[in-house]
Structures are given as structure tokens and as C-alpha cells.
Amino acid sequence: MLDTKSAPTGAYLTLTRDHWANLARERNLSLTAQTLAGLLAIGDPLNIDGVRQVYLPLTELINVYIDNTSSLSAQSNAYLALDELPTPFIIGIGGSVAVGKSTTARLLRELLSVNRRVDLVTTDGFLYPNSVLEAKGLMEHKGFPESYDQAALTQFVIDVKSGKPEVESPVYSHIIYDIVPDQTVTVRHPDVLIIEGLNVLQPPRTRISGEMGPAVSDFFDFSVYVDAPEQAIKQWFLDRFKKLRLTAFTDPQSYFRQFAHVRDDEALVLASEIWDTTNGPNLRQNIQPTRDRATVVIGKGPDHDIEWIRIRKI
């Protein structure tokens, strides 16, 4: 069943969960419940049935795009009398803090890895170090577009897309809440690179010179935005914060260790302030406005369950 009434423009089709689930009903799913448990973000209740009904069809759709992009590349090279190797197919995954984009990214990596070499990089590694953010007065805007080294991130994606054999990305630690000095991950010409982050779908920005510079999203072959009502996302953020107080925040190296020992009501007040002053404004001002730049939008309800999938027409 198709429903185009809720689409923001005529450029999208909105498919119901039932319609989407029927697309891959007869397909095999090799993912086990144990493997799935290791991929889920804190508080995400996704089960194997949900993977089969939503993420298996999404994976198959992405494979259609990959196969046709490869075919187009081969035909283009033949016409131009070139002998260029295929470049990695790049998938961007965006959405708010706590909406479940990390689960989506890890699941797609797992499902696409059945017959392809897939790497996953998060844009957290391209945040400025805390020392730089403090010097720029941006610690309260951590996660906003201006808190990232956009030039380094864009160059990283250009290097991957150009076919460089090895490209390095900085590493971010959620424990110390900062870039890890002298540590990188190396991307070695995968078939597919998944880039996950809050602001991956940002449009190009005008440089000081007045010229329009490239954006990371210019180099995506496919993109996914994970969507949900803001009030639901805020509640998920608060729920996750409560669970982290009992786990990651207890680590002596944790940046947030001071929250592990305050009363529950005090912790929730602090978490709500973080949402109201940082995550909420970032969602409304920077992240949500990029939603309609995605190839696919996954729409969640208040219970984290995926209710509809919106696809840009080709």
C-alpha cells in the first residue's frame, strides 16, 4: 500500500510498514538474535522480526543502487576509454542524538557485509578536540555543524571516493568525551563505506571568498535519515542517560562520572537541561532541516518501532 499524502513534496513516496515488510518476506536472513543484540544501541528494542521487515528490504534496495552504480561506472569508463577501478559506494546515515542512527548504521554494515567489504566511520572523529572547542567558545554547541573540522571531514570523504588505497580517520571516545590523541582508524578501499553522524546531510556552505565549497553529502551515493517526533527522541535520550549512569558513567575515565553519583531526580534534571540547551536546538536548527535531502527516511513512532519508510522517487 502506498501513501503519498504525508510526503513533504511530490518527490517522495511513503510506504507503510506492512508494504515494506512484504518486499522481502521470502528472503533469507542470516542475522542471529545474539548478533543483533551486539549491534543495538542502548534502549533500542529492535528484534529479528523488525530487521526482517524493515532492514532486510532496505539492504536489498541499497544493493540495487550499488549494482546499478557499478554498471554505470563501467559503462562510463568504456565510453571514455578509461580503465579506472570502481570507487567505494558511500552511504550517509543522519538523524538526532538517541534516535537510533547508530543501530541503523551497524545493522546495514552487518547485512551488506554478506557479499561486500563494508567499513563504518562516524563523524564524531572529526569533532574538534575539547581544547579547541573551549578556545572557540563552542563546548555548549558540541555536535552543531560548526563544532566539526568540516574541511578534514570533507577531504576524508573525497579521498575515499577518489579511490585512495588507504585513508585515515581520527577516533572519538564517548568515555572521555574527546578525540583520542594519536589514534586513527584506516579505511582501505572498501566496496561500501557507511558514514554515520548528526549532520552528514548538511548542504554546501559559502566560503569566506564567496565561493560555494563541497559538502560531505555531495559524495554520497545513498543516504538514510532516521526520523521520530522530538518528544519521543527526548524521552529516549533521558532513558539512555539513566542507563549510562549505571554503566559507562561509572568508569573512572568517564567525562560524565560526576553524574553517576547524583540522585535520580537530579540526574534527570541535568539530562533534560542538556537536551533543552544543546541536543534539542541542534535537532531543530541543523539536523531536521536536512531530512528531505535523504534518499530514504525511516519514520519511528514513540515506542521506537518503525512505522513508515519514505523513498525519494527516481
Side-chain angles (χ1 to χ4, degrees):
M1 181 184 297
L2 296 179
D3 173 19
T4 59
K5 293 181 180 179
S6 59
T9 70
Y12 284 84
L13 292 173
T14 302
L15 281 68
T16 64
R17 170 71 173 263
D18 288 344
H19 180 103
W20 192 252
N22 283 330
L23 297 176
R25 188 175 296 278
E26 304 302 323
R27 305 291 185 178
N28 291 325
L29 177 65
S30 58
L31 186 71
T32 66
Q34 182 177 4
T35 300
L36 174 61
L39 301 175
L40 297 180
I42 294 175
D44 196 327
L46 182 68
N47 57 28
I48 287 292
D49 284 342
V51 175
R52 177 179 295 282
Q53 293 172 10
V54 176
Y55 288 98
L56 186 55
L58 178 58
T59 302
E60 293 189 335
L61 178 64
I62 293 173
N63 278 322
V64 169
Y65 274 72
I66 295 172
D67 290 341
N68 281 277
T69 299
S70 177
S71 177
L72 177 60
S73 175
Q75 292 178 46
S76 177
N77 281 337
Y79 177 76
L80 296 171
L82 298 174
D83 188 24
E84 295 288 321
L85 292 174
T87 58
F89 185 93
I90 300 183
I91 302 170
I93 299 179
S96 171
V97 168
V99 78
K101 62 186 181 300
S102 296
T103 293
T104 296
R106 290 192 288 261
L107 263 174
L108 289 179
R109 177 183 59 184
E110 185 73 20
L111 296 173
L112 288 167
S113 293
V114 171
N115 53 11
R116 305 182 193 278
R117 292 185 300 109
V118 185
D119 279 343
L120 168 60
V121 169
T122 70
T123 59
D124 291 342
F126 293 91
L127 284 161
Y128 286 116
N130 287 349
S131 59
V132 175
L133 293 176
E134 289 168 354
K136 290 176 175 286
L138 291 174
M139 276 300 287
E140 297 301 317
H141 275 195
K142 193 169 186 176
F144 282 60
E146 60 268 26
S147 67
Y148 293 86
D149 187 341
Q150 297 285 357
L153 174 57
T154 302
Q155 189 60 53
F156 167 80
V157 178
I158 290 173
D159 288 344
V160 172
K161 196 61 178 172
S162 69
K164 280 195 172 184
E166 292 189 351
V167 186
E168 292 188 341
S169 167
V171 173
Y172 182 85
S173 166
H174 288 277
I175 295 294
I176 66 172
Y177 196 58
D178 204 351
I179 299 297
V180 181
D182 303 318
Q183 187 172 334
T184 61
V185 294
T186 303
V187 175
R188 293 182 173 87
H189 203 281
D191 299 318
V192 178
L193 174 64
I194 298 173
I195 301 178
E196 177 252 309
L198 298 172
N199 292 290
V200 294
L201 295 175
Q202 287 290 317
R205 295 193 168 196
T206 303
R207 293 171 171 165
I208 297 177
S209 64
E211 298 177 345
M212 188 70 74
V216 172
S217 57
D218 290 339
F219 303 94
F220 292 165
D221 298 289
F222 194 96
S223 54
V224 179
Y225 183 94
V226 185
D227 194 24
E230 181 179 342
Q231 193 55 43
I233 304 174
K234 179 178 180 179
Q235 186 59 55
W236 301 338
F237 173 75
L238 296 178
D239 292 343
R240 186 176 74 177
F241 193 91
K242 287 189 290 186
K243 292 180 180 178
L244 287 172
R245 286 183 62 235
L246 304 176
T247 54
F249 291 178
T250 62
D251 188 316
Q253 293 186 327
S254 174
Y255 180 87
F256 295 103
R257 61 189 177 278
Q258 66 268 28
F259 297 138
H261 304 295
V262 300
R263 297 199 317 265
D264 288 347
D265 58 338
E266 294 176 336
L268 283 179
V269 169
L270 290 168
S272 188
E273 288 178 357
I274 292 172
W275 180 272
D276 293 339
T277 59
T278 302
N279 295 332
N282 194 22
L283 170 60
R284 293 188 294 274
Q285 296 169 22
N286 302 306
I287 302 170
Q288 194 172 59
T290 69
R291 174 181 56 192
D292 297 336
R293 304 187 77 243
T295 313
V296 168
V297 181
I298 296 174
K300 291 186 169 185
D303 58 357
H304 251 300
D305 207 23
I306 295 168
E307 298 179 344
W308 49 263
I309 296 88
R310 182 173 295 151
I311 302 174
R312 184 184 297 163
K313 296 177 183 177
I314 298 177

